[in-house]
Amino acid sequence: MPMILRKLRTTVPVSGVQATGIDSVTDPAMLAHRLLNLEGRQERRFFDHRLRMSTMHAVCVRSQLLGLRNNVSSMENLPVSLRVTFDIGNAIHLFLQNGGGYLGKNRLGWWQCLACGHKLFGRQPAAKCSRCGALEGAFQYAEHALHMPEGVPVSGHIDGFLEVSPGDIRVIDFKTINGDDFQAMTAPKPEHCLQVNGYMHYVQMDDTLPVRINANRGLLLYISKKHTGRFLPFKMFHVRRERMYLDVIEGKVAEFRHGLDDPTYLPQPLQACEASTFKSAACRSCSTYAYCLAALRQ
Ligand SMILES: [Zn+2]
């Protein structure tokens, strides 16, 4: 080897980094792990004084009351694969809410000026912020947080609103799902219909929204995560107000309210927990498991 090359090889670092470790890593998954932040995440979870609409179909009111009364918190592991799933879902939500392309002029919601915090409801602002003069691009979409009257322990964030004809404003919820589920889908999932029914119902009691929302019809938009360019990655379904869903929701809300008012009241355990004689995986990982069993013995 000519002297000059030999000298270069020993003295010039590759992009300023010691070439020792990383260049020997050629497995693509391993290389991603080495150079990206692919840590799992741990989050401490506390029990809330309200029932969240997005998990209403599965929530155990007994557990939530026991958790609140005993100040239970738990560490939840969010492995990186799940973190990516959530992040992709969130990214698609943000894209649909903030990009004008797909929902177009029918999209209604809150828009917040990032420069001064000013918030207004309606279509995406096409003018400067009326308060601080920031350019129209300074506005970011903000999901509507349900604001319930005293004594209604419900929370939720509504993805968006579509004005399908003048004055007919409907709740819309976005769901990103895996490609195979999407392909097979001919009807919306019941738990999602329940969630949209809950939004349609409780938003009627929310006096912070300046417009009236259709209480009988909403929309679910499914977005496939496996888009190949051959098929449309969107499927949209009507969601009708159905007593069946509202009975489930109102039953849970009434039980929760009862338990908040009366600290001696506790609803029965979930049927699935009883059926497993409290030995299911869900029972064993339940953060109020010991309290639940102790209350049964009383
Ligand atoms: Zn502003």
Side-chain angles (χ1 to χ4, degrees):
M1 187 186 290
M3 190 60 187
I4 181 71
L5 276 184
R6 204 178 304 155
K7 201 167 179 203
L8 269 177
R9 190 174 267 192
T10 50
T11 56
V12 179
V14 179
S15 311
V17 178
Q18 284 298 319
T20 48
I22 205 64
D23 286 330
S24 63
V25 181
T26 52
D27 176 82
M30 195 68 81
L31 189 57
H33 265 281
R34 285 285 298 272
L35 293 179
L36 303 179
N37 173 22
L38 297 181
E39 300 287 312
R41 213 182 277 153
Q42 278 208 325
E43 280 173 4
R44 185 162 286 283
R45 280 282 186 88
F46 296 90
F47 287 90
D48 189 18
H49 285 82
R50 294 173 298 176
L51 295 178
R52 206 190 317 160
M53 198 54 74
S54 58
T55 51
M56 188 67 84
H57 67 282
V59 73
C60 172
V61 175
R62 179 182 172 90
S63 172
Q64 191 151 337
L65 285 168
L66 286 168
L68 273 174
R69 288 174 192 166
N70 297 288
N71 284 319
V72 175
S73 69
S74 59
M75 287 306 286
E76 287 224 347
N77 284 318
L78 194 62
V80 66
S81 55
L82 204 55
R83 195 183 114 197
V84 172
T85 301
F86 288 153
D87 284 346
I88 289 175
N90 289 337
I92 291 177
H93 273 63
L94 284 174
F95 171 67
L96 287 171
Q97 289 164 338
N98 285 284
Y102 294 105
L103 299 183
K105 283 186 295 193
N106 295 332
R107 171 189 44 170
L108 294 179
W110 290 105
W111 297 92
Q112 184 159 32
C113 172
L114 293 175
C116 75
H118 179 48
K119 226 170 155 186
L120 51 107
F121 190 91
R123 294 186 157 72
Q124 188 166 24
K128 292 177 177 181
C129 175
S130 61
R131 185 181 289 172
C132 77
L135 296 176
E136 57 268 30
F139 282 95
Q140 190 176 51
Y141 185 85
E143 287 181 2
H144 179 69
L146 277 180
H147 185 270
M148 290 294 94
E150 188 76 22
V152 184
V154 167
S155 67
H157 285 84
I158 300 177
D159 282 343
F161 302 98
L162 274 190
E163 187 167 31
V164 297
S165 61
D168 184 352
I169 303 170
R170 302 189 184 181
V171 166
I172 181 167
D173 203 72
F174 309 134
K175 301 289 180 196
T176 41
I177 61 168
N178 89 47
D180 296 334
D181 280 1
F182 177 84
Q183 210 79 317
M185 181 167 253
T186 55
K189 299 193 179 197
E191 65 266 33
H192 300 155
C193 293
L194 181 141
Q195 184 184 353
V196 172
N197 261 262
Y199 291 147
M200 291 193 289
H201 179 69
Y202 286 96
V203 81
Q204 308 301 322
M205 303 176 205
D206 186 341
D207 57 12
T208 62
L209 258 191
V211 291
R212 187 157 185 83
I213 306 300
N214 191 323
N216 298 307
R217 281 176 172 270
L219 295 160
L220 266 167
L221 176 63
Y222 288 91
I223 305 107
S224 169
K225 279 188 278 193
K226 187 179 169 187
H227 180 48
T228 60
R230 287 177 59 209
F231 304 102
L232 193 66
F234 296 120
K235 284 183 183 175
M236 201 187 252
F237 297 96
H238 289 293
V239 180
R240 287 169 177 274
R241 178 186 179 89
E242 282 188 58
R243 201 61 249 174
M244 172 180 75
Y245 293 124
L246 293 173
D247 284 346
V248 173
I249 298 169
E250 288 182 315
K252 290 190 182 208
V253 173
E255 279 188 327
F256 191 57
R257 173 78 209 271
H258 188 174
L260 291 176
D261 292 343
D262 173 3
T264 64
Y265 170 76
L266 206 54
Q268 289 303 303
L270 296 178
Q271 279 180 1
C273 301
E274 284 186 311
S276 79
T277 61
F278 300 94
K279 293 189 178 77
S280 68
C283 285
R284 285 197 303 268
S285 65
C286 173
S287 57
T288 57
Y289 182 59
Y291 294 104
C292 181
L293 291 188
L296 279 179
R297 289 190 220 103
Q298 279 173 7

